[in-house]
Amino acid sequence: MAKILFVMTGAEHWTLADGTKHPTGFWAEEAVAPYEAFTGAGHEITVATPGGVVPPVDKGSLAPEVNGGQENADRVAKVLASMDELRHPLKLAEVELDAYDAVFYPGGHGPMEDLAVDADSGKLLVDALGSGKPLGVVCHAPAALLAATRDDGTNAFAGYRLTGFTNAEETQAGLADKAKWLLQDRLEAAGTDFREREPWTPHVVVDRNLVTGQNPGSAAPLAAEMLKMLGS
């Protein structure tokens, strides 16, 4: 049995360019699909957030139209309600990486607000990358990588092949022209080798111990890649 750390957003909103607070949180599918995969394989999940706040779910991610219909939307909501780990998160600043075998970051716009500028998360990511342990990051969660700077000011993920929510997807979602910045732009500026496929196509990129997914539909295949790394 492996111990897997879920690092999740504590942000309930994403501040847009005009100062508007767009309601958000974590995206349900991106937490539920990997949770089911990992626990189904017998692994243990621990959740950590900035300040130890209970991670808020993006209400929009529970809608039938983004879950393939009402039946699956109900199923996702039921799984979320059963995830006791979400209600008892650790404080991110107090997490010891040595206690875990892998680290996973679900997305949603929440990480654009808090994890993108969170020094504790940044240090954890630098250490996780260097440890060789499986490190999974999906959709908007690669925003957290922007805080993963080394002492010399360079980004720890510079030169790594990765993916995340693309400019094209943000445009189609209707928020690109309202955002302060776009994830793909910032990751490319940080020196990463950003790889994208057609919008909404499941897409996973593996580079050494880093596993990244482009969008919500990439969460399940990302989890499958992490399970391979864990040997289960």
Side-chain angles (χ1 to χ4, degrees):
M1 180 190 74
K3 293 185 176 181
I4 303 174
L5 179 70
F6 274 38
V7 180
M8 301 182 68
T9 183
E12 296 181 338
H13 68 266
W14 176 34
T15 306
L16 302 179
D18 66 357
T20 301
K21 295 185 185 303
H22 178 72
T24 187
F26 69 88
W27 198 258
E29 179 182 0
E30 296 168 27
V32 167
Y35 180 87
E36 289 185 305
F38 297 147
T39 57
H43 302 312
E44 179 183 316
I45 307 298
T46 298
V47 172
T49 63
V53 301
V54 174
V57 65
D58 187 320
K59 301 297 192 299
S61 69
L62 299 174
E65 54 267 30
V66 297
N67 285 289
Q70 189 64 55
E71 183 177 350
N72 195 54
D74 291 342
R75 188 192 68 80
V76 167
K78 185 176 180 180
V79 175
L80 276 180
S82 74
M83 291 168 65
D84 288 336
E85 297 91 344
L86 292 175
R87 287 178 282 281
H88 307 285
L90 303 179
K91 293 180 180 178
L92 188 51
E94 298 176 358
V95 164
E96 296 290 342
L97 178 62
D98 289 347
Y100 303 97
D101 302 294
V103 179
F104 172 66
Y105 279 65
H109 280 109
M112 301 277 282
E113 184 74 19
D114 60 356
L115 297 179
V117 293
D118 190 286
D120 295 318
S121 173
K123 181 181 185 306
L124 178 70
L125 284 164
V126 173
D127 292 345
L129 191 66
S131 73
K133 297 177 181 182
L135 171 60
V137 195
V138 68
C139 200
H140 284 95
L145 309 188
L146 300 173
T149 51
R150 300 192 186 279
D151 292 340
D152 62 3
T154 60
N155 191 283
F157 293 85
Y160 273 77
R161 295 186 307 278
L162 53 74
T163 190
F165 205 67
T166 65
N167 290 354
E169 287 167 326
E170 202 71 83
T171 298
Q172 291 183 17
L175 289 167
D177 60 346
K178 300 175 183 177
K180 290 181 180 178
W181 50 273
L182 297 178
L183 180 59
Q184 180 177 349
D185 290 346
R186 283 287 179 91
L187 288 171
E188 290 176 343
T192 70
D193 182 3
F194 191 94
R195 307 291 181 93
E196 66 178 304
R197 285 191 182 162
E198 288 297 311
W200 316 112
T201 303
H203 178 216
V204 174
V205 175
V206 180
D207 189 348
R208 287 156 277 187
N209 60 315
L210 176 66
V211 189
T212 51
Q214 180 172 316
N215 43 39
S218 305
L222 181 153
E225 288 293 336
M226 290 185 69
L227 286 173
K228 288 180 191 174
M229 290 180 169
L230 288 167
S232 59

